[in-house]
Amino acid sequence: MKILHLYHDIMNLYGEYANISALERFIEKNAGICQTDRCSFDKKAELADYDFIYVGSGTERNQKLVMEDMKKYKSELENAINSGKVILMTGNSFEMLGKTVTDPEGTAYEGLGIFDFETTEQNKTRITADAVFTSDFSDKKLVGFINKCSSIKNISSPLFSILMGIGNNEAEKTEGIRKNNFFGTHLTGPVLIKNPYFLEYIASLLPGMEKADGSYLKYEKAGYEVTLSELTKRMNQ
């Protein structure tokens, strides 16, 4: 199994590298062999060589730098998404795949244009909230934390529905984006640490991992249940 962690050195807020650590451990527990390559500005990876691709969250400044460099992957990344390769982008990284990212001063930065959505940053003000989401691929709720300064419009296929927290924009009760096996979400935590059932689901999409066993995740699942219980109490107050 081959994993690619893109821009690991600059898109690395909130301990998001732990998403890769969690997936590596899961694969090794089930398949025994896992290779992770980390690639940034210094070289160009061949996306077709990998089973799983990950990009984490970065500062708004770093996002703009990466977005420009990432254009070298546009056609490969679009082909990977359309062909069903498993890809996870967390925090503001998935915003780079839309048409534009407009900063608080009104300057619009051209995105990769793989999706039709547009992102607008909000007056340099952070929008933060604990979150409880639902999805159409699992009966388990998703938990975590949102920390962003953006509003996104024109996402036609959101990843999550909101029970608690904030979404792509103030008017809609949805968050993130999904197409085939591409998952983009602002949910941090890191998301695969906070949500072991989501980790199981992501892993099950990888070649040869359809029947992978996540029973060893008993402590992670216990932690998830505590978090969900406490957030549910706040929702019901």
Side-chain angles (χ1 to χ4, degrees), residues 216-235:
Y216 77 92
L217 294 166
K218 57 183 180 179
Y219 296 113
E220 291 86 346
K221 290 178 179 178
Y224 160 84
E225 294 296 343
V226 170
T227 301
L228 179 60
S229 175
E230 292 302 311
L231 292 179
T232 300
K233 288 177 185 177
R234 286 170 50 186
M235 289 169 52

Side-chain angles (χ1 to χ4, degrees), residues 15 30-32 35 46 60 62 91 95 198 224:
N30 285 273
Q35 174 186 325
E46 295 298 326
E60 282 67 45
N62 286 349
E95 297 174 0
F198 188 36
Y224 160 84

Side-chain angles (χ1 to χ4, degrees), residues 49-60:
D49 293 343
Y50 295 90
D51 302 295
F52 178 82
I53 299 168
Y54 176 70
V55 187
S57 184
T59 65
E60 282 67 45

Side-chain angles (χ1 to χ4, degrees), residues 4-10 38-48 55 64-80 96-97 110-114:
L4 177 62
H5 189 173
L6 279 175
Y7 304 103
H8 62 98
D9 54 344
I10 192 169
R38 293 169 175 84
C39 183
S40 190
F41 294 97
D42 54 339
K43 61 180 180 179
K44 183 178 182 295
E46 295 298 326
L47 303 191
V55 187
K64 309 301 186 301
L65 295 173
V66 169
M67 185 164 61
E68 187 61 32
D69 188 72
M70 202 172 187
K71 289 173 183 176
K72 66 191 180 189
Y73 291 113
K74 178 178 178 179
S75 60
E76 290 178 72
L77 188 56
E78 192 164 18
N79 289 337
M96 301 186 293
L97 305 193
E110 182 183 3
L112 273 69
I114 293 175

Side-chain angles (χ1 to χ4, degrees), residues 70-140:
M70 202 172 187
K71 289 173 183 176
K72 66 191 180 189
Y73 291 113
K74 178 178 178 179
S75 60
E76 290 178 72
L77 188 56
E78 192 164 18
N79 289 337
I81 292 171
N82 290 335
S83 66
K85 188 179 292 291
V86 187
I87 303 169
L88 175 63
M89 299 181 71
T90 56
N92 62 356
S93 62
F94 80 89
E95 297 174 0
M96 301 186 293
L97 305 193
K99 288 183 174 180
T100 56
V101 177
T102 302
D103 70 15
E105 286 72 39
T107 301
Y109 296 82
E110 182 183 3
L112 273 69
I114 293 175
F115 297 106
D116 290 333
F117 66 79
E118 298 176 336
T119 301
T120 303
E121 294 173 352
Q122 304 295 300
N123 300 318
K124 298 183 180 179
T125 300
R126 307 306 302 181
I127 307 168
T128 62
D130 290 311
V132 180
F133 296 159
T134 61
S135 70
D136 61 3
F137 56 81
S138 174
D139 59 356
K140 296 291 185 180

